[in-house]
């Protein structure tokens, strides 16, 4: 599976962005998908995950502001980010794995996109 993330950029506090992650490969629809982020000097953390059936989970810090969704026909996962805050500034990575865990997985069954930078600043 190869993942290509896009949609990052510079946005003012309170603004919105939508990230996309397009996947190649046949196993997209059966795997869970997730978005993680890594701010400078911090560890990578789970932002949101979605199962193959559409069940979602979110980090407490983004609940009510971010929405993860997937389109299996397009092999794409999205992250709609609203009411952005400066503390949301990070590189965002999409991940495809059998299970999206709070602790990032880096084994042979876990695939990562290249990351897209989100900067929230006035």
């Amino acid at each position: 599976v190869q993942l290509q993330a896009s949609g990052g950029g510079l946005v003012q506090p309170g603004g919105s962005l939508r990230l996309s992650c397009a996947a190649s490969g046949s196993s997209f629809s059966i795997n869970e998908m997730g978005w993680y982020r890594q701010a400078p000097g911090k560890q990578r953390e789970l932002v949101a995950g979605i199962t193959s059936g559409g069940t979602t989970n979110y980090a407490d810090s983004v609940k009510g502001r971010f929405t993860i969704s997937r389109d299996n026909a397009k092999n794409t996962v999205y992250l709609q980010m609203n009411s952005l805050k400066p503390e949301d500034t990070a590189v965002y990575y999409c991940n495809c794995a059998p299970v999206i865990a709070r602790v990032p997985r880096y084994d042979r069954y876990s695939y990562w996109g290249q990351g897209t930078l989100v900067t929230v600043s006035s």
Side-chain angles (χ1 to χ4, degrees), residues 86-99:
E87 51 264 42
D88 295 317
T89 295
V91 178
Y92 285 70
Y93 298 90
C94 60
N95 178 236
C96 177
V99 176

Side-chain angles (χ1 to χ4, degrees), residues 1-6 19-25 28 33 35 71 74-78 94 96 112-114:
V1 177
Q2 292 185 324
L3 304 174
Q4 181 70 40
S6 61
L19 306 183
S20 300
C21 179
S24 62
F28 173 85
M33 296 294 298
W35 287 95
D71 184 337
K74 295 182 178 180
N75 279 10
T76 302
V77 64
Y78 305 96
C94 60
C96 177
W112 292 90
Q114 84 285 8

